[in-house]
């Protein structure tokens, strides 16, 4: 019963490097989300997807790109990492965007940019 | 802009106590409110989801209430246990289908 799986769990980058975070879900969910969590703040939405081949910007999209080529996967890319992107990143999915559909979260990726 | 505030930021109680966590939001135009639990190094687990038309939801020792008109929700935990130690976050789903999270309450239950 895997649910939502994020890889990698930890990563350290130098300023200017690039990387891709992978999120995979095995629940056949249509909706997928990327959030970042910073100390003393709630989770903030970076990008989201309402289905295969579609993506949309969230609250804090700058510096990130996403792709949803397959329904089960949602990728988050950092093209040129900055120290301000040091954070814990969470992927989530839901069956639909209905008001009784809870989110299922992965365990997070802790990213440090030096 | 919707803002979600959780008070207190941290709470430490002895085992067995009943406790209340508070969540307030500034815009009552919401579809639902959810309470989540987050263990260290883990993701969020949904505990309770209250639709805007509902007043409360219960699951085991947890009871969540919602007063949409006043912009408040409480999470009541009965007979707390050390295993309840975690961070508890509330989030509102506003019109436009975005979830807005509070910063969370860190709960420690001492044995």
């Amino acid at each position: 019963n895997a649910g939502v799986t994020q890889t990698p769990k930890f990563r350290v980058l130098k300023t200017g490097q690039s990387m891709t975070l992978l999120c995979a879900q095995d629940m056949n969910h249509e909706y997928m989300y990327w959030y970042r969590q910073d100390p003393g703040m709630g989770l903030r939405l970076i990008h989201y997807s309402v289905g295969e081949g579609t993506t949309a910007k969230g609250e804090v999209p700058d510096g990130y790109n996403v792709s949803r080529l397959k329904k089960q996967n949602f990728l988050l890319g950092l093209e040129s990492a900055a120290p301000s992107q040091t954070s814990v990143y969470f992927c989530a999915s839901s069956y639909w965007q209905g008001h009784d559909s809870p989110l299922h979260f992965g365990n997070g990726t802790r990213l440090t940019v030096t | 802009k919707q803002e979600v505030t959780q008070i207190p930021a941290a709470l430490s109680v002895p085992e067995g106590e009943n406790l209340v966590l508070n969540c307030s939001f500034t815009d009552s135009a919401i579809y639902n409110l959810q309470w989540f639990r987050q263990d260290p190094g883990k993701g969020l687990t949904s505990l309770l989801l209250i639709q805007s038309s509902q007043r409360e939801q219960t699951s085991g020792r947890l009871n969540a209430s919602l007063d949409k008109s006043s912009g408040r929700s409480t999470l009541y935990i009965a007979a707390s246990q050390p295993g309840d130690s975690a961070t508890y976050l509330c989030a509102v789903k506003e019109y436009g289908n975005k979830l807005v999270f509070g910063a969370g309450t860190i709960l420690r239950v001492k044995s």
Side-chain angles (χ1 to χ4, degrees):
Chain A
N1 190 14
V4 179
T5 303
Q6 292 183 234
T7 54
K9 294 182 179 180
F10 303 93
R11 186 71 185 268
V12 178
L13 289 179
K14 294 184 178 180
T15 298
Q17 288 184 321
S18 64
M19 76 163 294
T20 300
L21 282 66
L22 172 64
C23 176
Q25 52 93 5
D26 61 1
M27 297 173 284
N28 200 35
H29 285 174
E30 289 290 337
Y31 295 83
M32 297 187 74
Y33 311 82
W34 276 107
Y35 288 90
R36 61 178 287 172
Q37 185 178 35
D38 300 293
M41 303 182 71
L43 277 72
R44 293 182 291 168
L45 182 64
I46 305 171
H47 286 279
Y48 64 100
S49 168
V50 300
E52 180 179 320
T54 71
T55 62
K57 293 181 179 180
E59 182 184 356
V60 287
D62 294 341
Y64 306 95
N65 57 77
V66 288
S67 64
R68 183 102 181 266
L69 298 180
K70 294 182 178 181
K71 185 177 182 178
Q72 63 268 33
N73 295 335
F74 195 27
L75 279 63
L76 178 71
L78 287 71
E79 291 185 348
S80 180
S84 61
Q85 293 177 305
T86 294
S87 188
V88 181
Y89 292 86
F90 287 99
C91 176
S93 70
S94 63
Y95 183 63
W96 69 308
Q97 226 172 8
H99 311 314
D100 60 350
S101 181
L103 286 181
H104 297 261
F105 281 84
N107 285 334
T109 295
R110 184 173 295 275
L111 175 65
T112 301
V113 182
T114 62
Chain B
K1 180 184 174 183
Q2 179 77 264
E3 293 183 0
V4 179
T5 303
Q6 293 188 242
I7 294 173
L11 181 63
S12 181
V13 300
E15 181 177 6
E17 270 203 10
N18 302 324
L19 58 99
V20 174
L21 307 181
N22 297 292
C23 173
S24 62
F25 48 96
T26 56
D27 187 347
S28 61
I30 64 170
Y31 284 127
N32 63 44
L33 183 144
Q34 298 180 54
W35 282 94
F36 295 88
R37 170 185 172 136
Q38 184 177 26
D39 293 290
K42 300 291 186 181
L44 282 68
T45 301
S46 180
L47 295 173
L48 291 164
L49 184 154
I50 312 176
Q51 302 285 12
S52 61
S53 58
Q54 297 175 323
R55 298 285 292 181
E56 65 178 343
Q57 282 285 340
T58 298
S59 176
R61 294 183 292 107
L62 305 179
N63 176 275
S65 68
L66 174 63
D67 184 341
K68 199 174 79 161
S69 61
S70 68
R72 295 176 188 272
S73 175
T74 61
L75 178 66
Y76 175 82
I77 303 177
S80 58
Q81 303 170 357
D84 295 329
S85 298
T87 298
Y88 291 81
L89 297 97
C90 70
V92 296
K93 188 176 220 181
E94 54 182 7
Y95 295 171
N97 285 318
K98 288 184 179 178
L99 267 183
V100 181
F101 284 84
T105 294
I106 302 171
L107 173 65
R108 179 183 172 213
V109 180
K110 298 172 288 186
S111 57

